[in-house]
Amino acid sequence: MKIVIIGGVAGGMSAATRLRRLNEKAEIIVLEKGPYVSFANCGLPYYIAGEIEERSDLLVQTPEQLQARFALDVRPNSEAISIDAEKKEVRVKSSEEEYALSYDKLILSPGAKPVVPPADGIEEAKNIFTLRSVPDVDGITEFIEQHQPKKAVVIGAGFIGLEMAESLVSRGLEVTIVEKAPHVLPPFDEEMAAYITKELKTHGVQLYTGLGATAFEDEGKTVVLENGERLVSDLTLMSVGVSPESALAKTAGIETGLRGGILVDEQYETSQKDIYAVGDAIIVKQQVTGEDALIALASPANRQGRQVADVISGLPRRNKGSIGTAIVRVFDLAAASTGLNERQLKQADKTYDVIHIQGKSHAGYYPNASTILLKLLFHPVNGKIYGAQAIGKDGADKRIDIIATAIKAGLTVQDLPELEFTYAPPFGSAKDPVNMAGYAALNVIEGISESIQWYELEEKQKEGHLLLDVRNESELENNGRLKGAVNIPLDSLRERMTEIPKDRPIIVSCHSGLRSYIAERLLKQDDYTVKNLDGAFALYSTINAEKVEK
């Protein structure tokens, strides 16, 4: 069998090496239009920052190494320019020649390309870069070394944009981020992204949200925003997203769908027989909803490459889709997520509920424990887990990985309290944040607790709800007060309940939500109508700092 793979890196190289392990006698040819067939593209920002010191560490495997170990015919700088599905032939253009290459099976792993929106003056700009490959990173580092830029503008505040903002700050540049969405880190919900906004500002990054760049002047040294404001930029990074690299597939008559993504079946086969596709260019099923999605992440691409090799080798594998699990570090914080966010649930017309809990990365009494804010989205009746987001200095990855596993396994919020984790004070807590999220969600499902979200508070107060803050007086003095709130510390609540009117619905808040839940239970059992402010003061004050009285 002769198998040709177009594109290397995660999907293509996983397919090639797995194929060799299963088929020693197969002829396996890998075509890569760039100079590097196997590199760590997720590590590129950290090389620019200097955290990865050696450029060679970015190169996972060379063609020579792949030939020696796997007997793969790897051809860098060889671009597939056309596919004839009937003849089973690929037209290849290399630096030396152009030739036809036959195949029995063809695997497409073209990846995705950075989106560069049209803008006046962008063609004349000499300081605008994207980051997707080793040549991209070479261009950026060479520019920095030659021109010693002082000011940088990052357009786009997604994962790569934020990683590059941090990297450029570490290189001593003044960084400004411009994001078209209402908040940074658009895959996260607004209140969770607010913690990242705060972290960016703490490290001197200037932010413009709800605005796009419309033009570039002075050969790119001036960035013009939609509101007419002009930013000085010695170096600009475009990071507004990626789109499937599917032009070659389209010319071969392969069917595409959502945003040009390549359509594949459960065995990764395209609409053309014996042509398969994997990686960032294909449409997958979002496993939570069953709807079409584009999920450009390394882990699913690696899995897909291995599975398509299994399929071609006659093993029973099925493309089950993906849920989209990812993490980004922004200075001293990590932001991790899995599944769907609130915006996606609303777009999918899903009925859902939300809880926010705060926990510690390990036992609170052990040194250096840090806070984790965990958000869980779930069905309010059957407890199906739709998604989760976590923010923290340490341990956010562990908790989101656990919940991602729970989603994949079909567990519900009712199962989360039952999960057992290793525990010793340096490593975790006897009540892990995931367990606590399960308890909190279960309380909501069973009607033991009722909550409102941070964005509902102001309207509820206008409707006549009384806001009761059960923090201690010292906390109010040090951290601020919620506007219009009555303060009765939790430990005094039983003795002072007569001060609370029974003819008004009550909203209870504390610092994180635990004491307010206790207050909610106490008041409800004395026939008060009570709801808990989910996430409490800590969450509300982060997203609405201007509404907190000092």
Side-chain angles (χ1 to χ4, degrees):
M1 189 189 310
K2 184 177 182 181
I3 304 161
V4 174
I5 301 171
I6 299 176
V9 198
M13 293 316 303
S14 292
T17 52
R18 176 67 171 173
L19 279 165
R20 174 57 74 222
R21 292 193 294 273
L22 297 176
N23 304 274
E24 180 59 29
K25 298 191 181 303
E27 183 181 0
I28 303 170
I29 301 170
V30 182
L31 304 174
E32 171 57 52
K33 68 179 179 180
Y36 305 103
V37 72
S38 181
F39 63 91
N41 52 0
C42 294
L44 301 180
Y46 303 105
Y47 174 71
I48 292 173
E51 292 182 74
I52 297 174
E53 296 181 359
E54 298 297 329
R55 180 181 177 277
S56 59
D57 290 340
L58 297 172
L59 307 178
V60 180
Q61 295 282 355
T62 66
E64 293 76 19
Q65 291 169 327
L66 291 164
Q67 170 62 40
R69 179 165 296 180
F70 294 103
L72 300 177
D73 181 356
V74 178
R75 305 179 186 182
N77 298 308
S78 298
E79 182 178 5
I81 55 176
S82 67
I83 300 169
D84 189 323
E86 289 188 8
K87 290 184 177 180
K88 288 194 168 185
E89 195 172 84
V90 179
R91 195 75 188 168
V92 184
K93 182 178 181 181
S94 70
S95 53
E96 292 86 21
E97 60 178 333
E98 186 174 315
Y99 59 93
L101 180 64
S102 65
Y103 65 84
D104 295 312
K105 303 285 185 181
L106 179 65
I107 300 173
L108 305 181
S109 181
K113 59 185 176 182
V115 173
V116 180
D120 292 340
I122 196 168
E123 297 295 334
E124 293 77 30
K126 301 182 184 301
N127 63 344
I128 297 179
F129 299 89
T130 58
L131 183 63
R132 192 72 182 169
S133 65
V134 174
D136 290 341
V137 86
D138 289 341
I140 294 170
T141 53
E142 183 179 335
F143 183 89
I144 292 173
E145 289 165 3
Q146 288 184 357
H147 298 278
Q148 298 296 307
K150 303 297 182 186
K151 295 178 181 289
V153 173
V154 176
I155 299 177
F159 284 52
I160 294 175
L162 294 181
E163 288 171 346
M164 278 302 297
E166 179 182 347
S167 296
L168 293 171
V169 168
S170 71
R171 295 285 298 247
L173 279 74
E174 295 178 30
V175 177
T176 299
I177 294 176
V178 177
E179 171 55 56
K180 179 71 172 176
H183 59 80
V184 303
L185 209 54
F188 284 67
D189 290 319
E190 182 181 359
E191 79 280 14
M192 304 298 282
Y195 287 80
I196 301 302
T197 294
K198 186 177 179 180
E199 184 73 4
L200 289 164
K201 290 181 177 178
T202 298
H203 286 84
V205 177
Q206 189 173 5
L207 296 176
Y208 289 84
T209 55
L211 288 171
T214 59
F216 298 89
E217 299 175 347
D218 307 322
E219 295 184 331
K221 294 179 181 178
T222 301
V223 181
V224 184
L225 304 185
E226 286 177 331
N227 63 355
E229 192 167 347
R230 284 168 163 76
L231 306 177
V232 175
S233 179
D234 301 318
L235 183 156
T236 298
L237 182 86
M238 298 290 291
S239 181
V240 297
V242 296
S243 62
E245 190 76 89
S246 57
L248 178 66
K250 290 177 182 177
T251 61
I254 292 171
E255 292 181 7
T256 58
L258 176 70
R259 287 163 41 201
I262 299 171
L263 289 167
V264 297
D265 63 15
E266 289 191 338
Q267 279 69 50
Y268 297 100
E269 193 168 18
T270 70
S271 59
Q272 294 284 13
K273 183 174 174 52
D274 293 326
I275 300 180
Y276 302 80
V278 296
D280 295 352
I282 72 168
I283 295 171
V284 299
K285 293 298 180 185
Q286 166 45 264
Q287 281 186 267
V288 178
T289 63
E291 296 177 353
D292 286 352
L294 288 164
I295 299 176
L297 294 169
S299 179
N302 273 292
R303 179 178 70 246
Q304 292 159 14
R306 180 185 175 95
Q307 288 180 339
V308 77
D310 288 355
V311 168
I312 289 172
S313 303
L315 294 174
R317 299 289 182 263
R318 186 167 63 88
N319 172 14
K320 297 179 180 179
S322 183
I323 60 176
T325 304
I327 190 167
V328 62
R329 188 194 71 190
V330 183
F331 296 103
D332 295 326
L333 285 182
S337 69
T338 189
L340 303 179
N341 58 32
E342 281 201 66
R343 173 176 46 81
Q344 292 168 320
L345 286 168
K346 288 174 182 175
Q347 289 174 345
D349 198 28
K350 294 287 186 181
T351 301
Y352 68 94
D353 220 326
V354 179
I355 58 99
H356 298 80
I357 66 105
Q358 286 194 30
K360 293 296 182 181
S361 55
H362 56 252
Y365 58 83
Y366 188 84
N368 301 318
S370 59
T371 299
I372 297 171
L373 175 64
L374 179 59
K375 177 176 185 175
L376 188 66
L377 301 120
F378 56 95
H379 191 280
V381 177
N382 63 30
K384 178 179 178 178
I385 304 170
Y386 288 135
Q389 298 160 41
I391 307 285
K393 289 185 177 181
D394 180 40
D397 54 342
K398 174 181 176 179
R399 276 68 190 196
I400 290 300
D401 286 345
I402 291 166
I403 295 174
T405 303
I407 293 173
K408 282 275 191 175
L411 303 184
T412 67
V413 296
Q414 291 93 329
D415 297 307
L416 296 184
E418 296 293 331
L419 298 180
E420 297 182 17
F421 310 113
T422 56
Y423 164 59
F427 303 106
S429 301
K431 293 181 180 179
D432 189 87
V434 173
N435 297 136
M436 296 306 296
Y439 288 128
L442 196 56
N443 281 338
V444 171
I445 288 175
E446 294 178 345
I448 294 172
S449 179
E450 300 172 82
S451 61
I452 69 163
Q453 295 303 308
W454 60 272
Y455 50 80
E456 299 176 291
L457 177 59
E458 194 170 346
E459 187 61 35
K460 293 294 184 184
Q461 286 180 288
K462 289 178 182 178
E463 292 173 1
H465 289 62
L466 175 67
L467 179 58
L468 174 64
D469 192 332
V470 297
R471 291 177 295 156
N472 298 326
E473 184 63 33
S474 60
E475 293 178 85
L476 274 62
E477 292 175 359
N478 293 330
N479 301 321
R481 300 170 180 264
L482 294 171
K483 286 185 179 180
V486 172
N487 174 236
I488 301 177
L490 176 61
D491 293 342
S492 304
L493 186 57
R494 283 184 178 84
E495 292 74 31
R496 297 177 58 183
M497 271 202 291
T498 55
E499 300 175 28
I500 305 170
K502 282 194 172 180
D503 59 351
R504 294 176 64 184
I506 311 297
I507 297 170
V508 193
S509 177
C510 61
H511 177 73
S512 64
L514 177 58
R515 283 174 291 172
S516 55
Y517 165 64
I518 297 170
E520 177 194 4
R521 293 302 308 147
L522 176 60
L523 291 166
K524 276 186 170 178
Q525 292 176 79
D526 200 39
D527 298 325
Y528 285 87
T529 302
V530 189
K531 291 187 178 181
N532 195 352
L533 178 60
D534 188 33
F537 177 84
L539 181 69
Y540 186 85
S541 62
T542 300
I543 190 70
N544 288 315
E546 73 284 356
K547 296 180 180 179
V548 175
E549 297 174 338
K550 296 293 186 180

